[in-house]
Amino acid sequence: MTTPFEPQPFTWAGRRAWLLSEEPSSRRQARLGSFYRGWLALRENPLAMVGLAVVVGLALVAILADVIAPGNPRMGGDLRTERLLPPSAAHWMGTDDQARDIFTRVIHGARLTLQVVALVVATATPIGLLVGTTAGYFGGWVDAVLMRITDIFLAFPRLILALAFVAALGPGIENAVIAIALTSWPQYARLARAETMTIRHSDFISAARLQGASSARILWGHVAPLCLPSVVIRVTLDMAGIILTAAGLGFLGLGAQPPEPEWGAMVATGRRFIVDQWWVAAMPGLAIFVVSLGFNLLGDGLRDALDPKAAR
Amino acid sequence: MQARQEAPAPPQAPERPELEAESAQARALRFVWGAGKLAFSLALTLLGLLVVTFFIGRVVPVDPVLSIIGDRAPASTYDRVYRELGLDRPLVEQFWIYLKKILTGDFGESFLTKRPILDDLRRVFPATFELATLGLILGVAFGAPMGVAAAAYKGSWIDQTIRVLCLVGYSAPIFWLGLMGLLIFYANLGWVSGPGRIGIAYEFSFQPRTGILLLDSALQGRWDVFRNVFSHIILPACILGYFSMAYICRMTRSFMLHELSQEYVTAARVKGVSEARIIWRHALRNAAVPLITVIGLSYINLLEGSVLTETIFAWPGLGQYLTNSLQNADMNAVLGATFVIGIAFVLINLISDLLYRLLDPRVRRRS
């Protein structure tokens, strides 16, 4: 058995065998091995790879926005001559009513979109995990109370609740993130609770408890990691929804404020020119569509690859 | 029942009525218990809805007193209104007052229209109802058969095409699709009428009764109005229908695949039942039961989708009312509309749950 401690001459075949080993000799090997198996399963699915490409592309565009589109996304050109120009070699997606290049704005908008998604996921996932595992692990009245609260949040359609929150907190991208996160966690909590209930009577949990591990330690050290894969799949599937909700808020003027290049707000600007200058609304909308399609494809693929139960 | 009474008494006749009476009693008890539990959880959810809307209303940075008296009123007026609104009392008491008001249907007055919120909501609701219902009908009419077809021809080009269609449906931003629809079908092709519910020419000559214009015009025999209304509603309804179609189709496909992999399907195949009969009579009947929940859910999603769609199509419904109030910081109206949508959400869930019990004998027996 090869272990990290006996360095072997590096070969791809050797690395592969190490990863696919049926008897991993360290935690790291087991973990990396299971990642590798998931990756192999994912690679089989061409649609999922398209989705992955879109998501990686979005990240790259967000990082390299200044390189790809060096112009200023907030400042326009000459209002007399460069306003509302159709797509051309100079302006790939045309210009808007402020004579700004739409391509530059769409590229820089990728940053905002990625930022919103990342922040929402980073807030909603831990909350959902915490509430769900706590409810599932303790059961009884803790479960009843927590799940009732969860149900109440689920009793509002997502966009409506986010709208009401943003209305209360005031428009802006931070508040949009908070509102979307507040509407996202209940689904993760539900899922984490269901997962926790299936494992809370397992022997290894009892063993940990007998060793004197505290409830908090059992929850975060033993239960939550086991819930994580299905929650991650759910979150990935949900990212498209997050993007659409954020864009919807932006469209209604409640997300990022002008002159920020937020895609939903850009579509809203284009509304006024839809008949004669269709590109102003069409291009940013297309960007939203492509990115959300990418996340949907990736999420579907991840679910098929990692969670065969739920796939069919 | 009648047939049994008329038939000659079977040997165990004396035992029978007793047994039946007992089970009927037990059933009645179980029904009351179930209904009580349901009512309790419903009441709790509604209370939660109220708590959420109440606290949203409290954290608004808009000063409710200033929005009534304006910023030029003297301090004494401010104090008086402050007390009249009950803002000086403890939060729990304020919530209690709020609760009592809502229960009597008093959502307060709209800052924009200067009318009670409930009247406003009653006025705008039919428009949304009509649009969402037509969208749902379209979504079910196309989504369910397409899902069945995709499952029946799993893996073939039919399945692939339907999958892509559905993917587009739940990836595209609805407001963008609406705009593109207006651009293509209204501005370029001229197949449909533009924004709004009804042509200006008819707006004053036609008196709606229920507020559901398609129904009203048909009942009054005004087919010219009907045609005009139809040409207005068809594009937004198709856009909403496309979204629910994507969802319904995807779920139908997965339910059908589940049913088709069951043993009773294999048994039917072995018996020599035709494939069409297996799909439409055996599998779809079983898949239809969970599908009801899905249809209920997609109706709710349509209410949500209508917020964005109505903005684009200038549709004078609940969604437009909500966004208009939002943009003008009319918090009473926002919370009222949010609460009504929340109630609709809970009720639709309840109805689909009850239908589910009614249609699936397995669930009925277990509960």
Side-chain angles (χ1 to χ4, degrees), chain A residues 30 38 47 51 58 60 67-68 83 85 103-104 114 116 124 126 134 141 158 166 190 200-201 241 247 290 308 311:
Chain A
L47 282 180
L58 174 74
L60 283 180
V67 182
I68 299 171
R83 214 169 147 263
L85 292 177
F103 178 72
T104 310
L114 205 64
V116 168
T134 310
W141 66 268
R158 191 169 181 174
V166 175
R190 272 259 173 112
R200 74 169 167 178
H201 294 303
V290 169

Side-chain angles (χ1 to χ4, degrees), chain B residues 24 46 50 169 208 222 229 239 285 292 309 327 332 335-336 364:
Chain B
L46 288 185
L50 280 171
R222 295 281 304 271
V229 170
I239 301 252
R285 280 199 142 188
I292 287 173
T309 318
Q327 274 151 6
N332 278 343
L335 294 181
R364 210 187 306 150

Side-chain angles (χ1 to χ4, degrees), chain A residues 148 152 154-160 163-164 167-168 251-252 267 271 274 278 281-282 285 289 292-293 296-297 300, chain B residues 41 44-45 48-49 56 59-61 167 170-173 175-176 179-180 183 250 304 307 311 323 326-327 338 341 345:
Chain A
R148 187 46 61 189
I152 288 165
L154 283 173
F156 283 106
R158 191 169 181 174
L159 183 68
I160 309 285
L163 278 180
F251 178 76
L252 293 174
V267 176
R271 246 183 98 183
I274 185 69
W278 53 270
F289 172 55
S292 106
L293 189 67
N296 269 329
L297 288 173
D300 271 355
Chain B
S41 89
L44 222 59
T45 312
L49 281 179
I56 290 178
V59 296
V60 192
L167 258 175
Y170 45 77
S171 300
F175 53 89
W176 180 67
L179 279 176
M180 294 299 114
L183 171 66
R250 181 194 205 185
E304 183 175 83
V307 172
T311 318
T323 41
L326 267 174
Q327 274 151 6
T338 309
I341 292 175
F345 196 109

Side-chain angles (χ1 to χ4, degrees), chain B residues 300-315:
Chain B
I300 295 160
N301 287 339
L302 283 182
L303 278 182
E304 183 175 83
S306 71
V307 172
L308 292 167
T309 318
E310 284 177 6
T311 318
I312 288 169
F313 290 95
W315 196 261

Side-chain angles (χ1 to χ4, degrees), chain A residues 14-262:
Chain A
R15 185 54 31 141
R16 199 179 137 85
W18 182 77
L19 281 170
L20 289 176
S21 162
E22 288 294 326
E23 294 154 353
S25 54
S26 70
R27 265 191 189 202
R28 195 170 68 114
Q29 187 183 358
R31 209 165 282 162
L32 289 175
S34 77
F35 269 124
Y36 186 61
R37 283 197 192 90
W39 163 245
L40 286 183
L42 190 67
R43 224 173 48 179
E44 297 289 297
N45 184 343
L47 282 180
M49 294 318 283
V50 173
L52 185 67
V54 170
V55 173
V56 171
L58 174 74
L60 283 180
V61 164
I63 295 167
L64 301 175
D66 291 324
V67 182
I68 299 171
N72 186 338
R74 291 168 197 85
M75 283 282 287
D78 190 343
L79 278 177
R80 280 164 307 176
T81 55
E82 294 179 359
R83 214 169 147 263
L84 296 170
L85 292 177
S88 64
H91 303 286
W92 290 358
M93 295 184 178
T95 58
D96 66 6
D97 58 324
Q98 306 285 318
R100 295 174 295 205
D101 180 42
I102 295 177
F103 178 72
T104 310
R105 283 174 68 73
V106 167
I107 293 294
H108 283 263
R111 282 191 176 166
L112 283 173
T113 303
L114 205 64
Q115 213 178 332
V116 168
V117 173
L119 285 174
V120 168
V121 169
T123 354
T125 317
I127 300 177
L129 261 181
L130 183 67
V131 172
T133 51
T134 310
Y137 180 70
F138 290 107
W141 66 268
V142 177
D143 183 30
V145 170
L146 286 179
M147 280 303 113
R148 187 46 61 189
I149 295 175
T150 311
D151 280 349
I152 288 165
F153 274 89
L154 283 173
F156 283 106
R158 191 169 181 174
L159 183 68
I160 309 285
L161 188 59
L163 278 180
F165 276 125
V166 175
L169 300 169
I173 196 146
E174 297 87 2
N175 291 340
V177 167
I178 295 172
I180 298 173
L182 277 172
T183 57
S184 298
W185 68 267
Q187 312 170 38
Y188 311 150
R190 272 259 173 112
L191 191 65
R193 172 177 174 263
E195 292 274 317
T196 308
M197 305 244 297
T198 63
I199 55 173
R200 74 169 167 178
H201 294 303
S202 312
D203 290 341
F204 73 95
I205 300 284
S206 311
R209 206 178 304 156
L210 278 175
Q211 284 174 348
S214 67
S215 295
R217 189 185 170 86
I218 291 175
L219 278 181
W220 280 114
H222 299 278
V223 176
L226 283 173
C227 299
L228 208 54
S230 53
V231 172
V232 166
I233 293 168
R234 183 69 235 223
V235 168
T236 318
L237 275 171
D238 211 27
M239 282 180 181
I242 294 171
I243 291 172
L244 289 182
T245 312
L249 287 177
F251 178 76
L252 293 174
L254 299 165
Q257 295 299 301
E260 288 303 310
E262 202 274 332

